[in-house]
Amino acid sequence: MSNSKLVQYTRFVPACSKMHNKKNIKITPHHMAGDLSLETCGKVLIDSNCSTNYAIDSEGRIGLYVDEGDRSWASDNKKNDGQAVTIEVANDELGGDWHVSDQALNALVDLCVDICIRNGIDELVYTGDKSGNLTRHNMFTATSCPGPYLQSKFPWIAEQVNQRLNIKSSYSKDLIGDYKVQAVGGLNLRAGASTNNSVIETLDNGSTVWFDGYHIGSWYHVKTRSGKTGYCVKDYLKKEPDKMSEHFSDVPKKAWYAKSVDYCKENGLMSGVGGGKFAPNRPMTRAEAAAVFAKLHSMIEEGKNK
């Protein structure tokens, strides 16, 4: 089973139940009852012997802690968590309504859409009780989680996700990337894919946004540098060329493995296949693997002798 590619931080925690053939048909958002970073969240999960599949911080960053194919220990209900993807969401205000930032809320919608598409969930249904597939922690035990503010947003979350799911067939992987705004008077970032939707922000001419591949007609779903998400008309967006590694012309700088490739090159572990290329998808031969291990061993021994 795959995990979300929206993840920006990964720290697998031991408190979970390994499962075979788990079928995810539900999503259960929780609140952290704190404004934790993804890194701190991982430490807290380990110390408290509990877990979640994902977490979202107040900046909208997404972390992975338990594989989607395994049951997290999150909702005090084995049946729910055995068929749900659980998500902890940070609070940018402590106490009261336990407010959640717009960046975190928008990231939650993005993640829910991604979960639904990959797991074949055609519609996210919030009924206010256990019969729906958008469930809450306080449906299963006496707790204030997910907090008054986030709980009030559950109908809106389902609405936003389902609006996006209607564009499931309108996904263009080849178009994903950075886009530059080309509109002299600025470009409106809207809450939905029409001019009837409210304006979230007016983007400056020349500013850059990230297009995630989802679109409704001529409306692209984008994310700004500040973490806000919404829709823009594609006619005013121009795709930026992918920036490549300083060492290899076939390794994009934004690739998840780019820093590791650069490290290997700079430390003499790998030099690529020639012609300024690394061929990241080419299988490694046994001889190449042996050479890397030998170099690593030499580096370790040199470190011991210093």
Side-chain angles (χ1 to χ4, degrees), residues 107-129:
L108 176 58
V109 171
D110 291 342
L111 181 56
C112 286
V113 170
D114 179 64
I115 290 168
C116 286
I117 289 176
R118 288 183 297 100
N119 288 278
I121 301 173
D122 294 327
E123 182 180 6
L124 196 59
V125 180
Y126 179 65
T127 60
D129 58 29

PDB file of all heavy atoms in Angstrom, residues 107-129:
ATOM      1  N   ALA A 107      -4.004  22.022   4.113  1.00  0.00           N
ATOM      2  CA  ALA A 107      -3.175  20.829   3.930  1.00  0.00           C
ATOM      3  C   ALA A 107      -3.964  19.566   4.270  1.00  0.00           C
ATOM      4  O   ALA A 107      -3.788  18.522   3.637  1.00  0.00           O
ATOM      5  CB  ALA A 107      -1.921  20.914   4.802  1.00  0.00           C
ATOM      6  N   LEU A 108      -4.843  19.657   5.272  1.00  0.00           N
ATOM      7  CA  LEU A 108      -5.694  18.517   5.633  1.00  0.00           C
ATOM      8  C   LEU A 108      -6.605  18.138   4.476  1.00  0.00           C
ATOM      9  O   LEU A 108      -6.773  16.950   4.166  1.00  0.00           O
ATOM     10  CB  LEU A 108      -6.515  18.866   6.875  1.00  0.00           C
ATOM     11  CG  LEU A 108      -7.527  17.811   7.339  1.00  0.00           C
ATOM     12  CD1 LEU A 108      -6.848  16.483   7.648  1.00  0.00           C
ATOM     13  CD2 LEU A 108      -8.304  18.319   8.560  1.00  0.00           C
ATOM     14  N   VAL A 109      -7.184  19.135   3.819  1.00  0.00           N
ATOM     15  CA  VAL A 109      -8.034  18.859   2.650  1.00  0.00           C
ATOM     16  C   VAL A 109      -7.210  18.208   1.539  1.00  0.00           C
ATOM     17  O   VAL A 109      -7.623  17.211   0.937  1.00  0.00           O
ATOM     18  CB  VAL A 109      -8.708  20.154   2.143  1.00  0.00           C
ATOM     19  CG1 VAL A 109      -9.410  19.909   0.800  1.00  0.00           C
ATOM     20  CG2 VAL A 109      -9.701  20.674   3.167  1.00  0.00           C
ATOM     21  N   ASP A 110      -6.022  18.771   1.276  1.00  0.00           N
ATOM     22  CA  ASP A 110      -5.145  18.198   0.245  1.00  0.00           C
ATOM     23  C   ASP A 110      -4.825  16.738   0.550  1.00  0.00           C
ATOM     24  O   ASP A 110      -4.866  15.874  -0.336  1.00  0.00           O
ATOM     25  CB  ASP A 110      -3.836  18.987   0.156  1.00  0.00           C
ATOM     26  CG  ASP A 110      -4.015  20.379  -0.413  1.00  0.00           C
ATOM     27  OD1 ASP A 110      -5.059  20.628  -1.041  1.00  0.00           O
ATOM     28  OD2 ASP A 110      -3.122  21.220  -0.218  1.00  0.00           O
ATOM     29  N   LEU A 111      -4.491  16.461   1.808  1.00  0.00           N
ATOM     30  CA  LEU A 111      -4.123  15.100   2.196  1.00  0.00           C
ATOM     31  C   LEU A 111      -5.321  14.160   2.104  1.00  0.00           C
ATOM     32  O   LEU A 111      -5.183  13.017   1.631  1.00  0.00           O
ATOM     33  CB  LEU A 111      -3.558  15.102   3.618  1.00  0.00           C
ATOM     34  CG  LEU A 111      -3.097  13.749   4.167  1.00  0.00           C
ATOM     35  CD1 LEU A 111      -2.047  13.102   3.261  1.00  0.00           C
ATOM     36  CD2 LEU A 111      -2.538  13.913   5.579  1.00  0.00           C
ATOM     37  N   CYS A 112      -6.496  14.624   2.516  1.00  0.00           N
ATOM     38  CA  CYS A 112      -7.699  13.787   2.427  1.00  0.00           C
ATOM     39  C   CYS A 112      -8.026  13.442   0.980  1.00  0.00           C
ATOM     40  O   CYS A 112      -8.411  12.304   0.666  1.00  0.00           O
ATOM     41  CB  CYS A 112      -8.887  14.498   3.082  1.00  0.00           C
ATOM     42  SG  CYS A 112      -8.847  14.543   4.883  1.00  0.00           S
ATOM     43  N   VAL A 113      -7.874  14.405   0.081  1.00  0.00           N
ATOM     44  CA  VAL A 113      -8.113  14.143  -1.347  1.00  0.00           C
ATOM     45  C   VAL A 113      -7.146  13.078  -1.845  1.00  0.00           C
ATOM     46  O   VAL A 113      -7.537  12.120  -2.523  1.00  0.00           O
ATOM     47  CB  VAL A 113      -7.952  15.441  -2.176  1.00  0.00           C
ATOM     48  CG1 VAL A 113      -7.966  15.120  -3.675  1.00  0.00           C
ATOM     49  CG2 VAL A 113      -9.054  16.420  -1.853  1.00  0.00           C
ATOM     50  N   ASP A 114      -5.882  13.224  -1.483  1.00  0.00           N
ATOM     51  CA  ASP A 114      -4.857  12.276  -1.900  1.00  0.00           C
ATOM     52  C   ASP A 114      -5.155  10.873  -1.364  1.00  0.00           C
ATOM     53  O   ASP A 114      -5.032   9.878  -2.082  1.00  0.00           O
ATOM     54  CB  ASP A 114      -3.494  12.759  -1.416  1.00  0.00           C
ATOM     55  CG  ASP A 114      -2.367  11.817  -1.798  1.00  0.00           C
ATOM     56  OD1 ASP A 114      -2.120  11.644  -3.003  1.00  0.00           O
ATOM     57  OD2 ASP A 114      -1.743  11.242  -0.889  1.00  0.00           O
ATOM     58  N   ILE A 115      -5.563  10.790  -0.092  1.00  0.00           N
ATOM     59  CA  ILE A 115      -5.894   9.499   0.527  1.00  0.00           C
ATOM     60  C   ILE A 115      -7.074   8.850  -0.191  1.00  0.00           C
ATOM     61  O   ILE A 115      -7.057   7.651  -0.484  1.00  0.00           O
ATOM     62  CB  ILE A 115      -6.209   9.688   2.019  1.00  0.00           C
ATOM     63  CG1 ILE A 115      -4.940  10.059   2.792  1.00  0.00           C
ATOM     64  CG2 ILE A 115      -6.833   8.421   2.616  1.00  0.00           C
ATOM     65  CD1 ILE A 115      -5.201  10.543   4.204  1.00  0.00           C
ATOM     66  N   CYS A 116      -8.092   9.643  -0.467  1.00  0.00           N
ATOM     67  CA  CYS A 116      -9.282   9.112  -1.141  1.00  0.00           C
ATOM     68  C   CYS A 116      -8.951   8.566  -2.523  1.00  0.00           C
ATOM     69  O   CYS A 116      -9.385   7.473  -2.896  1.00  0.00           O
ATOM     70  CB  CYS A 116     -10.345  10.204  -1.259  1.00  0.00           C
ATOM     71  SG  CYS A 116     -11.186  10.606   0.300  1.00  0.00           S
ATOM     72  N   ILE A 117      -8.169   9.306  -3.287  1.00  0.00           N
ATOM     73  CA  ILE A 117      -7.841   8.888  -4.650  1.00  0.00           C
ATOM     74  C   ILE A 117      -7.026   7.602  -4.638  1.00  0.00           C
ATOM     75  O   ILE A 117      -7.319   6.654  -5.369  1.00  0.00           O
ATOM     76  CB  ILE A 117      -7.076  10.007  -5.384  1.00  0.00           C
ATOM     77  CG1 ILE A 117      -8.028  11.172  -5.677  1.00  0.00           C
ATOM     78  CG2 ILE A 117      -6.467   9.479  -6.689  1.00  0.00           C
ATOM     79  CD1 ILE A 117      -7.367  12.362  -6.301  1.00  0.00           C
ATOM     80  N   ARG A 118      -6.017   7.533  -3.773  1.00  0.00           N
ATOM     81  CA  ARG A 118      -5.156   6.340  -3.755  1.00  0.00           C
ATOM     82  C   ARG A 118      -5.843   5.112  -3.179  1.00  0.00           C
ATOM     83  O   ARG A 118      -5.500   3.984  -3.520  1.00  0.00           O
ATOM     84  CB  ARG A 118      -3.870   6.632  -2.973  1.00  0.00           C
ATOM     85  CG  ARG A 118      -2.914   7.555  -3.692  1.00  0.00           C
ATOM     86  CD  ARG A 118      -1.618   7.771  -2.924  1.00  0.00           C
ATOM     87  NE  ARG A 118      -1.838   8.424  -1.644  1.00  0.00           N
ATOM     88  CZ  ARG A 118      -1.897   7.827  -0.478  1.00  0.00           C
ATOM     89  NH1 ARG A 118      -1.735   6.505  -0.414  1.00  0.00           N
ATOM     90  NH2 ARG A 118      -2.110   8.493   0.638  1.00  0.00           N
ATOM     91  N   ASN A 119      -6.841   5.324  -2.310  1.00  0.00           N
ATOM     92  CA  ASN A 119      -7.521   4.197  -1.670  1.00  0.00           C
ATOM     93  C   ASN A 119      -8.886   3.889  -2.287  1.00  0.00           C
ATOM     94  O   ASN A 119      -9.610   3.026  -1.788  1.00  0.00           O
ATOM     95  CB  ASN A 119      -7.681   4.458  -0.171  1.00  0.00           C
ATOM     96  CG  ASN A 119      -6.367   4.353   0.583  1.00  0.00           C
ATOM     97  OD1 ASN A 119      -5.927   3.262   0.933  1.00  0.00           O
ATOM     98  ND2 ASN A 119      -5.725   5.493   0.834  1.00  0.00           N
ATOM     99  N   GLY A 120      -9.222   4.575  -3.368  1.00  0.00           N
ATOM    100  CA  GLY A 120     -10.485   4.286  -4.056  1.00  0.00           C
ATOM    101  C   GLY A 120     -11.717   4.709  -3.284  1.00  0.00           C
ATOM    102  O   GLY A 120     -12.787   4.104  -3.428  1.00  0.00           O
ATOM    103  N   ILE A 121     -11.607   5.749  -2.441  1.00  0.00           N
ATOM    104  CA  ILE A 121     -12.768   6.277  -1.715  1.00  0.00           C
ATOM    105  C   ILE A 121     -13.442   7.307  -2.613  1.00  0.00           C
ATOM    106  O   ILE A 121     -12.896   8.386  -2.850  1.00  0.00           O
ATOM    107  CB  ILE A 121     -12.336   6.918  -0.378  1.00  0.00           C
ATOM    108  CG1 ILE A 121     -11.624   5.880   0.503  1.00  0.00           C
ATOM    109  CG2 ILE A 121     -13.542   7.503   0.352  1.00  0.00           C
ATOM    110  CD1 ILE A 121     -11.007   6.466   1.776  1.00  0.00           C
ATOM    111  N   ASP A 122     -14.607   6.988  -3.134  1.00  0.00           N
ATOM    112  CA  ASP A 122     -15.255   7.842  -4.125  1.00  0.00           C
ATOM    113  C   ASP A 122     -15.859   9.107  -3.532  1.00  0.00           C
ATOM    114  O   ASP A 122     -15.983  10.122  -4.209  1.00  0.00           O
ATOM    115  CB  ASP A 122     -16.353   7.060  -4.856  1.00  0.00           C
ATOM    116  CG  ASP A 122     -15.791   5.925  -5.694  1.00  0.00           C
ATOM    117  OD1 ASP A 122     -14.670   6.078  -6.214  1.00  0.00           O
ATOM    118  OD2 ASP A 122     -16.465   4.888  -5.823  1.00  0.00           O
ATOM    119  N   GLU A 123     -16.249   9.042  -2.257  1.00  0.00           N
ATOM    120  CA  GLU A 123     -16.886  10.196  -1.620  1.00  0.00           C
ATOM    121  C   GLU A 123     -16.577  10.186  -0.134  1.00  0.00           C
ATOM    122  O   GLU A 123     -16.586   9.132   0.508  1.00  0.00           O
ATOM    123  CB  GLU A 123     -18.400  10.156  -1.827  1.00  0.00           C
ATOM    124  CG  GLU A 123     -19.129  11.349  -1.245  1.00  0.00           C
ATOM    125  CD  GLU A 123     -20.636  11.279  -1.462  1.00  0.00           C
ATOM    126  OE1 GLU A 123     -21.117  10.248  -1.963  1.00  0.00           O
ATOM    127  OE2 GLU A 123     -21.325  12.260  -1.120  1.00  0.00           O
ATOM    128  N   LEU A 124     -16.292  11.358   0.421  1.00  0.00           N
ATOM    129  CA  LEU A 124     -16.051  11.488   1.851  1.00  0.00           C
ATOM    130  C   LEU A 124     -17.358  11.948   2.491  1.00  0.00           C
ATOM    131  O   LEU A 124     -17.851  13.037   2.198  1.00  0.00           O
ATOM    132  CB  LEU A 124     -14.929  12.489   2.117  1.00  0.00           C
ATOM    133  CG  LEU A 124     -14.306  12.458   3.514  1.00  0.00           C
ATOM    134  CD1 LEU A 124     -13.714  11.086   3.822  1.00  0.00           C
ATOM    135  CD2 LEU A 124     -13.232  13.523   3.645  1.00  0.00           C
ATOM    136  N   VAL A 125     -17.922  11.113   3.358  1.00  0.00           N
ATOM    137  CA  VAL A 125     -19.253  11.361   3.912  1.00  0.00           C
ATOM    138  C   VAL A 125     -19.155  11.643   5.411  1.00  0.00           C
ATOM    139  O   VAL A 125     -18.665  10.812   6.176  1.00  0.00           O
ATOM    140  CB  VAL A 125     -20.179  10.149   3.685  1.00  0.00           C
ATOM    141  CG1 VAL A 125     -21.565  10.423   4.268  1.00  0.00           C
ATOM    142  CG2 VAL A 125     -20.285   9.833   2.193  1.00  0.00           C
ATOM    143  N   TYR A 126     -19.621  12.824   5.800  1.00  0.00           N
ATOM    144  CA  TYR A 126     -19.679  13.166   7.216  1.00  0.00           C
ATOM    145  C   TYR A 126     -21.141  13.178   7.661  1.00  0.00           C
ATOM    146  O   TYR A 126     -21.934  14.000   7.207  1.00  0.00           O
ATOM    147  CB  TYR A 126     -19.037  14.523   7.484  1.00  0.00           C
ATOM    148  CG  TYR A 126     -19.096  14.917   8.946  1.00  0.00           C
ATOM    149  CD1 TYR A 126     -18.410  14.172   9.902  1.00  0.00           C
ATOM    150  CD2 TYR A 126     -19.847  16.016   9.370  1.00  0.00           C
ATOM    151  CE1 TYR A 126     -18.462  14.504  11.245  1.00  0.00           C
ATOM    152  CE2 TYR A 126     -19.894  16.365  10.712  1.00  0.00           C
ATOM    153  CZ  TYR A 126     -19.219  15.599  11.642  1.00  0.00           C
ATOM    154  OH  TYR A 126     -19.274  15.926  12.979  1.00  0.00           O
ATOM    155  N   THR A 127     -21.492  12.258   8.543  1.00  0.00           N
ATOM    156  CA  THR A 127     -22.862  12.138   9.029  1.00  0.00           C
ATOM    157  C   THR A 127     -23.018  12.644  10.454  1.00  0.00           C
ATOM    158  O   THR A 127     -24.136  12.795  10.943  1.00  0.00           O
ATOM    159  CB  THR A 127     -23.315  10.668   8.985  1.00  0.00           C
ATOM    160  OG1 THR A 127     -22.444   9.898   9.827  1.00  0.00           O
ATOM    161  CG2 THR A 127     -23.253  10.119   7.562  1.00  0.00           C
ATOM    162  N   GLY A 128     -21.896  12.876  11.138  1.00  0.00           N
ATOM    163  CA  GLY A 128     -21.955  13.280  12.534  1.00  0.00           C
ATOM    164  C   GLY A 128     -21.967  12.098  13.485  1.00  0.00           C
ATOM    165  O   GLY A 128     -21.966  12.268  14.703  1.00  0.00           O
ATOM    166  N   ASP A 129     -21.966  10.877  12.915  1.00  0.00           N
ATOM    167  CA  ASP A 129     -21.886   9.678  13.749  1.00  0.00           C
ATOM    168  C   ASP A 129     -20.970   8.660  13.080  1.00  0.00           C
ATOM    169  O   ASP A 129     -20.372   8.928  12.032  1.00  0.00           O
ATOM    170  CB  ASP A 129     -23.273   9.083  14.020  1.00  0.00           C
ATOM    171  CG  ASP A 129     -24.032   8.724  12.735  1.00  0.00           C
ATOM    172  OD1 ASP A 129     -23.379   8.409  11.709  1.00  0.00           O
ATOM    173  OD2 ASP A 129     -25.269   8.759  12.750  1.00  0.00           O
TER     174      ASP A 129
END
